[in-house]
Amino acid sequence: MVDGGSAVSGGARRRLRIAVLGPVRAWRDGAPLDLGPVRRQAVLVALLLRAGTQTGPEQLLDGVWGANPPGSGRRVLPSYIYQLRKALDAEGAGPAESVIRSDRGGYRFADDAAQLDVAELAELGGAAQRAKEAGDLAAAMDRCSEALALFRGEPLAGVPGSFAQGERGRLTQRRRMLQHDRLDCLVLLGRSAEALDDLAAVVAADPYDESLMALRMRALYGSGHQAEALNAYQEMRERLRDELGVDPGAELRRVHQAVLRRDDQRLLGPAARPAAPAAASPAAPPARPRRPVNELPGDTGHLAGRERELALLTAPLADAAVSVVAVDGPAGVGKSALAVRAAWRLRDRYPDGCLFADLRAHSTEQRGIAPQRILRRLLRSVGAAESEVPDDLDELVAAWRAASSPLRLLVVLDDVLSAQQVRPLLPAGPGSAVIVAGRRRLAGLDADRRVSLEPLAAGDAVSLLRHVLGEERADREPEATQELVRLCDGLPLALRIAGARLQNRPAWTLAYLVERMAGDERRLGELSAGDRSVEAAFRLSYEQLAPMQQRGFRALGLSPTVEFDPLTPAAVLECPPLDAEWILESLVDASLLQQPRPGRYRLHDLVRVHARRLADAAPGEAGAARTAVLRLYLDAARIASDWGPDAFLTGPRPAAAPFPDWKDADGWLDAAGGELVDVVAHAAALGEADYACWIAEALSDYFARRGRYHECRTALEIALAHAEEAGDRRMPSALRTCMGVNDLYQGRHQEGHAWFTEALDLARHRADRGEEARALAGLGAADLYAGRVEQAMTRIADAVEQAQRSDDSWLVAMGLCLLGSVHQGNGRNEEALACFATSVTRAEKIGRPRMISRSLACAADLHHGLGQYGEARSFYRQAADLAERAGDVLLHAVLLTRLGSAELGEGNLSAAADLHHQALSQHRTLSPLTEPHFARLEMDIRYRLGRTYSAAGRIAEAREQFHTALAVPGAGEHPMERSQALAGLEECGAD
């Protein structure tokens, strides 16, 4: 509402304002008033819109409740009136001053009691009509705009009853008339292009309104789109005949004839331009059109989040040559809308006109248009007579270049498939420009600029959905709005279709549509409205691919991870990785695949759903493909494992895996990032329980040595839930052992002991000696860490004995390290050294540097404890080099600081200090959130560094290190390291 003098008479004095051009709202002195439930609002509306007129109870009951009045009948109205008076009346107002008066058994809303937006609407509408009749089109347009701005949505939104329904229809029709009058003013003012912006949405909302279609045809003609105006008439004619069984009315037919005759005066009125001079003789070159031609489609729709790309497209280009700008992107990403928006921004730079051609490479109705047809249209657009247009392609190209050479044109070529389609259509005039839009990246086209569109970021996608739905409706369900954006993957086409479905179903909530889209099976099916479908758009892109590319695309739908490299399709297609890479790159060029970084690829969410559906449609192919992908991850995990592939007692062994050694497999798993758990979940969801269990088991070592304990636990929990379904009966015990190991790595000894106990019981029940040995070793380790040394020794010795009988090198190496530690604790150093030596031999047989490093570190610790610092230094150096090679940051830091202590024992103080500082540098690369030994290790390194400083006489620096160790967050949880730091401080003396 507008305050002050523009309101109806006396409006400035009224402090009660009521608005009905949207949800019913009221304010007094600027403060909002509570009008109560919708039935009470309906009573108010029935009185308000009959202001000054008495309304009887029966009229009110009928207008609000219709055929179903309340049981209390007329007795209900006084309570409604009382509540409305209480809400609306000024403080202290009596019955005589109330805005609602009682008179002879009826009620009336007092004249001039409130400032009403409908009154202001009537005044502005009348002013607009008077200005238009007086020939002041600009003023008329301004008054129409002001009147339309009063509407805040559907009039009387949500108010029930037949009276409100009738008024809602009347006000909605008034809104349409104002829109029509405003747009008519724009056309008559020569601003047809602006009129087209709004007309597309208005016509779409009422596709049978002939007056709107006549106005749109005039706007198209005024923008230089005569052909499109004629097409619009033909479409309307067919729609009326096919759906309503009638022909266009007289007014629409008159506009059609005027477009055919190019009757500017009839169509454009004051905006009509003077007639062009007489046509040139047939011998002369094709004349320029009588006005700069503009064949651009209407710039419709809300373009969200494309500011950077639009700036690139509209930046100045070279004037000396024809410039080409290429726009590519997946189906539905908004390439055409961006190209058209850019063309409208650029049109003033091209005085001879803007041409548009849709090459329909992915049209469902007419797949591809011959270049001859496009060239004939272009030639006619620049003024060539039909008799001057040849038929032969080469002659057409020559004629087009000759006709366009003196012109400065902007040409938009939409839905292009190949560079070969574009080259014949390039104009010859210096300074002309061509915008090419298509799904493929046209590497063979010489382009001055290239813009690749991706789906919208979350914020921009929400902005688009709010625009389509209306801010109030979208903001009412913020969480559902965000989820709908996610399900639409930020794809503008998907967002617009989802918005259209909600527009056409006002009873639906966003949450309801989100629920309907749950699951890949229903997601694409819900993204269809009328002749628009996300899946159909994707299918057209797919059908343009060669057979091998199509098979590769289907294979990608079976990938268990969002990102992948060429090894995934290579495994499925049974082809070399280089061939698979070529397929992936070709799919990137077709905008069906993203390449977030070199060597890594990903499918958009919705594209992946489509690829998966295509794969599922070929079940024979899909079954083998899924197995191949899961086998690839299993082989990688087993090859990368410190256990070595031979340590996995069941399941397929790596044979033709594409990993030359453990480092390649390790790096490949690293590249998968946080998606490895998804592989286990994917296998479980497919019913591949064995693969889910095998992969989780093999990944547990990989996760643990990287400190990714949470992912390790999650993968194992997923697999354990399906272990009883697996054909491999080893899995229930094996996975529990892995859970126990994961707990021990985190210092959760009691929890680990429980897992090992369960694993041992299951293994003995099945008489599985291999898993029994592993469970025993785990129990022994848990006992050792808990101080139960004798019990630990018995269990570990039994485990090693069984492992030696089954030639389980990994378990022998690990078990002997534990057993050697027990002997060392009991002072049996010779037995301990023998255990460590055999452990190293077994670890070397496996060939994993980290495993060898751990065995060497055990021997080094023993030598260091015996004061044999030279031997300890040699073992620590070898172990540290192997840990660095293995990429184990935690172990490397531990070994560096222990090597520093060995150097201290040898008297090499400077070397010792350097090594402790190196250890601290390694420690800083660890995360305190994921590494449970973070605080303990820092305390240990600083204690050792402090001792080195103390030995060098640098007491202040030594004291600083001990203080820092004690100040480490969580220091109190590590009593041994804390007592060491306190002892170091005591040795340094008081501060």
Side-chain angles (χ1 to χ4, degrees), residues 925-944:
T925 66
L926 299 171
S927 169
L929 300 177
T930 59
E931 179 47 65
H933 305 293
F934 184 86
R936 183 180 176 186
L937 176 57
E938 182 177 358
M939 293 176 72
D940 183 56
I941 297 171
R942 292 193 181 279
Y943 164 70
R944 293 172 187 268

Side-chain angles (χ1 to χ4, degrees), residues 303 306 313 326-342 362 412-416 435-440 451-454 491-492 537 541 590-591:
L303 197 64
R306 301 300 190 200
L313 292 181
V327 182
D328 64 76
V333 81
K335 302 176 295 297
S336 300
L338 177 65
V340 170
R341 173 67 58 85
H362 300 89
V412 179
L413 303 176
D414 193 25
D415 200 9
V416 171
I435 300 177
V436 179
R439 301 184 187 182
R440 292 182 176 271
V451 175
S452 293
L453 292 187
E454 297 291 347
L491 196 70
S541 293
S591 294

Side-chain angles (χ1 to χ4, degrees), residues 972-983:
E973 299 174 16
H974 307 289
M976 186 178 77
E977 285 72 20
R978 187 171 184 276
S979 64
Q980 287 177 337
L982 287 170

Side-chain angles (χ1 to χ4, degrees), residues 824 833 836 854-866 868 871-877 879 895 898 902:
Q824 181 182 352
L833 282 174
F836 296 147
R854 290 170 65 92
S855 299
L856 288 169
C858 290
D861 287 342
L862 177 57
H863 286 296
H864 189 275
L866 294 173
Q868 299 168 357
E871 291 87 343
R873 183 174 59 181
S874 175
F875 280 119
Y876 279 138
R877 173 56 67 191
L895 292 169
R898 293 185 183 179

Side-chain angles (χ1 to χ4, degrees), residues 31 52 110 145 158 183 249 263 328 336 462 484 521 531 535 559 630 653 700 708-709 735 804 832 920:
S145 298
L183 294 169
D263 188 344
D328 64 76
S336 300
V462 169
L484 187 57
E521 299 78 14
D531 61 350
E535 187 162 28
S559 172
L630 294 176
R653 295 181 179 276
S700 64
R708 293 160 62 177
Y709 305 114
L735 294 175
Q804 286 173 329
L920 281 174

Side-chain angles (χ1 to χ4, degrees), residues 306 328-336 362 415 438-440 453-455 488-495 497 533-542 590-593 604 606-607 610:
R306 301 300 190 200
D328 64 76
V333 81
K335 302 176 295 297
S336 300
H362 300 89
D415 200 9
R439 301 184 187 182
R440 292 182 176 271
L453 292 187
E454 297 291 347
C488 291
D489 196 24
L491 196 70
L493 174 63
L495 291 163
I497 290 175
S533 163
V534 172
E535 187 162 28
F538 291 160
R539 189 182 305 114
L540 290 168
S541 293
Y542 171 77
S591 294
L592 284 168
L593 197 59
H604 295 290
L606 291 174
V607 177
H610 179 57

Side-chain angles (χ1 to χ4, degrees), residues 235-314:
E235 290 171 4
M236 183 68 166
R237 183 167 176 256
E238 292 173 0
R239 186 184 306 124
L240 291 172
R241 283 187 175 180
D242 295 345
E243 299 179 24
L244 301 181
V246 298
D247 288 323
E251 174 60 19
L252 189 58
R253 293 199 305 272
R254 281 194 290 270
V255 171
H256 176 237
Q257 290 299 315
V259 173
L260 286 171
R261 295 193 305 269
R262 292 181 178 267
D263 188 344
D264 288 10
Q265 195 62 40
R266 169 72 179 79
L267 296 167
L268 307 178
R273 300 191 181 189
S281 65
R288 296 190 188 190
R290 55 179 179 164
R291 70 164 61 89
V293 65
N294 186 342
E295 294 183 348
L296 297 175
D299 181 14
T300 61
H302 179 67
L303 197 64
R306 301 300 190 200
E307 291 79 9
R308 183 185 67 83
E309 292 87 350
L310 190 61
L312 280 172
L313 292 181
T314 55

